[in-house]
Amino acid sequence: MIITSTMNPAVDRTLYVPDFQSGMINHAELARTDAGGNGVNVCRALKVMGSDSLTVGFIAGKNGRFIKDYLSSQAIPYDFVEVPGETRTNIKIIDRNGLHTDINESGFAVSDSDYVRFQEHLSQYLRHDNFIVLCGSTPTNLTAERYGELCQAVSARGCELFLDTSGAYLLEGLKAKPIFVKPNVQELEETLGMKVSSHEDVCRGAKELMNLGAQHVAVSMGAEGAIFMSDRETLFVEAPQVPVRGPVGAGDVLMAGMVHGRQNRMDFSNTAAYAVAAASASVMVEGTRMAQRRDILQLLGEVKVKMM
């Protein structure tokens, strides 16, 4: 089974503002509200792909109740630790050109006892045949060192560990030798303190992440696609050109595609192609909705995989 972490969930409020202008009064034509947080999004995408998953994390307040009700309605199981405070709300503003502006709240802090309870919840799922996805932001006071401890605990139990984080948290997580890490270009620059302006720069950065412990690396590059690297091959996976209606959450869908591919024993090239097809399909639907499986399969034939 696939287990995702949602340590800092959110309610995503998406507003469609055709002529959005900063500093002015704007009017939204459409609005929608979804359960969010990277781990939740990965689970939602996996549901479409046909893979069972469960999310473990923290939750708080009435927004937390909304998220739990939403997951229940989608038949996605969860195991949350209830904490004081309120689950954050993230605002996504999309204009007529598909440009999106994110305004994300920081979220709640957790106590030491809350963290211990989360460890206990997560430990129930640390079996060698499970895939563990640690992704997204963390509570405001969860240190990178504690994040690294979680990663070490996952790897020590023989689980395949997937990481989607950056900076000090990614550097700590790499010590646990994750099976896959998935930074985007900005996160690669942040983590390694480098400037990326070419595919060659991306490859150098990915190689450095592998030297630090990653077994496979996928660097997402938005509409361009992604570069995937293993110890045997490096692939540029060119995304098909599609109309962009909702780019929010595409990285989470890319991660879901990678885990789905590993779980279904696809080879490296097919896993990469499937993940990029899924991410491309996801941007064709509004807000943080998920594309359908048929949309992913239709785009799969248009994905170009090139050896580098």
Side-chain angles (χ1 to χ4, degrees):
M1 190 175 185
I2 300 169
I3 313 299
T4 76
S5 72
T6 308
M7 287 190 277
N8 195 17
V11 170
D12 287 335
R13 180 73 171 161
T14 305
L15 305 175
Y16 299 90
V17 185
D19 299 308
F20 175 71
Q21 298 181 60
S22 177
M24 303 293 289
I25 295 175
N26 294 272
H27 298 279
E29 281 191 356
L30 294 170
R32 61 175 292 121
T33 303
D34 297 294
N38 298 75
V40 167
N41 290 339
V42 172
C43 285
R44 293 172 60 211
L46 287 167
K47 183 76 174 180
V48 169
M49 296 171 189
S51 288
D52 292 330
S53 64
L54 175 148
T55 192
V56 182
F58 301 102
I59 207 81
K62 61 183 178 66
N63 282 348
R65 289 192 294 275
F66 170 84
I67 291 172
K68 290 192 291 185
D69 289 345
Y70 181 93
L71 291 174
S72 296
S73 73
Q74 300 298 307
I76 297 173
Y78 55 82
D79 188 1
F80 286 119
V81 173
E82 297 275 352
V83 299
E86 183 59 85
T87 300
R88 63 191 176 136
T89 298
N90 292 339
I91 306 298
K92 318 290 184 181
I93 303 171
I94 303 176
D95 69 14
R96 71 172 71 254
N97 298 314
L99 183 68
H100 70 281
T101 301
D102 293 354
I103 306 171
N104 293 345
E105 294 183 355
S106 297
F108 43 64
V110 297
S111 67
D112 288 342
S113 61
D114 292 332
Y115 175 71
V116 170
R117 285 194 293 148
F118 171 76
Q119 287 180 302
E120 293 170 348
H121 281 233
L122 181 63
S123 67
Q124 301 175 63
Y125 307 104
L126 299 186
R127 300 189 292 268
H128 74 277
D129 55 342
N130 279 349
F131 301 79
I132 310 297
V133 184
L134 299 187
C135 53
S137 63
T138 63
T140 54
N141 62 334
L142 189 89
T143 65
E145 289 73 23
R146 277 192 161 174
Y147 190 88
E149 291 171 3
L150 289 174
C151 295
Q152 294 284 0
V154 171
S155 292
R157 298 284 285 274
C159 305
E160 289 203 354
L161 172 63
F162 295 74
L163 288 184
D164 186 3
T165 186
S166 62
Y169 293 85
L170 178 53
L171 292 174
E172 287 293 327
L174 288 168
K175 297 175 184 178
K177 302 189 184 307
I179 192 71
F180 246 117
V181 299
K182 190 210 69 63
N184 58 32
V185 170
Q186 181 180 348
E187 291 166 341
L188 188 69
E189 292 179 326
E190 174 193 348
T191 301
L192 298 178
M194 63 182 294
K195 181 64 178 175
V196 173
S197 57
S198 67
H199 288 183
E200 289 73 21
D201 291 338
V202 172
C203 290
R204 280 199 301 274
K207 182 63 175 176
E208 179 61 21
L209 295 181
M210 292 189 66
N211 290 339
L212 292 170
Q215 298 181 53
H216 304 84
V217 177
V219 181
S220 56
M221 300 183 294
E224 191 176 356
I227 287 178
F228 285 73
M229 182 177 289
S230 72
D231 60 352
R232 295 184 178 181
E233 55 189 332
T234 300
L235 308 173
F236 170 50
V237 186
E238 185 177 350
Q241 298 300 305
V242 297
V244 177
R245 297 188 178 93
V248 178
D252 299 327
V253 179
L254 185 76
M255 173 62 86
M258 290 155 51
V259 187
H260 176 80
R262 289 286 298 184
Q263 186 186 49
N264 288 276
R265 300 184 178 180
M266 297 181 190
D267 64 24
F268 186 64
S269 178
N270 285 327
T271 295
Y274 184 88
V276 170
S280 298
S282 76
V283 306
M284 296 172 63
V285 294
E286 295 83 1
T288 55
R289 289 170 52 205
M290 294 294 158
Q292 298 303 304
R293 195 182 315 180
R294 64 176 178 273
D295 301 319
I296 298 173
L297 297 178
Q298 182 176 345
L299 285 181
L300 187 56
E302 301 179 32
V303 174
K304 298 176 182 178
V305 180
K306 303 174 183 178
M307 294 284 295
M308 295 185 69

